[in-house]
Amino acid sequence: MKKVQAKILLVILIFSIISCSSNKGLIKSEKTDFGTTKYYVQTDLNDENHEKRIVIKVADSVYYSFYSDGINKRRKMDMGSIYRLYYGQIPKELDAQIAYQKLSKMDSLVLSKSNRILDSLKWTNFKRWNGASAFNIEVVYYHGVPRNEKFEPF
């Protein structure tokens, strides 16, 4: 009986250490028409260009990442692509190499709430979505997503 209690205590201790060592903190969670939306702040990224970011997760199917130099979106249904927020008007004569996706209702909802979060954190140097009209679609994995690729933000 003591061995079982010791194992349970060890498992609880390991989970608490792992959860405390995470560099992601939940800011807000809310239910929307598109599913549960969770807002996180991530710090100490393994990226030399970015120290922190805001990540918004919508219904385990879409991630939005906010950086000081741009806003990205990643969708679970096409993990091989990344969507970068495009500012200005979409060109009338489209280039065959560049694809655009207009902002959806979900995009507008998430992006409008992100401005309030950035204001509350006093992160004035982060990119805002004002003036954006679409996402520029960029293919990251031309030959398919690698096996065991975990769905997470870029």
Side-chain angles (χ1 to χ4, degrees):
M1 187 69 176
K2 288 186 179 185
K3 288 183 180 183
V4 173
Q5 290 175 341
K7 288 179 182 180
I8 292 173
L9 184 61
L10 181 64
V11 168
I12 292 172
L13 181 65
I14 289 172
F15 279 123
S16 65
I17 289 171
I18 290 171
S19 66
C20 291
S21 67
S22 175
N23 61 353
K24 184 163 68 169
L26 181 67
I27 300 172
K28 180 180 180 179
S29 179
E30 65 183 6
K31 292 194 186 263
T32 65
D33 294 340
F34 306 104
T36 302
T37 304
K38 295 181 180 180
Y39 301 82
Y40 297 95
V41 172
Q42 273 189 306
T43 55
D44 301 329
L45 300 174
N46 293 332
D47 185 356
E48 60 190 44
N49 298 326
H50 305 103
E51 294 177 7
K52 58 186 177 182
R53 69 178 172 185
I54 290 180
V55 174
I56 300 173
K57 181 179 179 182
V58 180
D60 295 329
S61 62
V62 179
Y63 279 110
Y64 296 87
S65 302
F66 293 76
Y67 299 98
S68 58
D69 59 352
I71 299 172
N72 299 334
K73 176 173 97 170
R74 188 170 188 205
R75 301 181 334 157
K76 191 171 192 173
M77 53 190 268
D78 60 343
M79 288 177 34
S81 299
I82 188 168
Y83 298 75
R84 299 190 192 283
L85 199 58
Y86 179 77
Y87 296 88
Q89 294 297 324
I90 298 173
K92 293 187 187 224
E93 292 187 25
L94 296 177
D95 184 352
Q97 301 295 322
I98 301 173
Y100 296 94
Q101 179 191 52
K102 290 186 178 183
L103 297 179
S104 67
K105 289 182 181 181
M106 179 178 68
D107 295 331
S108 298
L109 175 72
V110 169
L111 293 171
S112 64
K113 291 188 179 197
S114 69
N115 280 350
R116 283 184 249 146
I117 289 175
L118 289 169
D119 290 339
S120 70
L121 294 171
K122 296 181 173 76
W123 290 5
T124 56
N125 62 337
F126 268 62
K127 200 73 167 173
R128 306 297 173 125
W129 78 282
N130 303 346
S133 58
F135 282 98
N136 182 354
I137 304 170
E138 180 181 319
V139 177
V140 178
Y141 297 114
Y142 287 98
H143 302 291
V145 178
R147 285 186 181 200
N148 302 325
E149 173 78 11
K150 187 176 177 185
F151 178 61
E152 55 189 19
F154 274 136

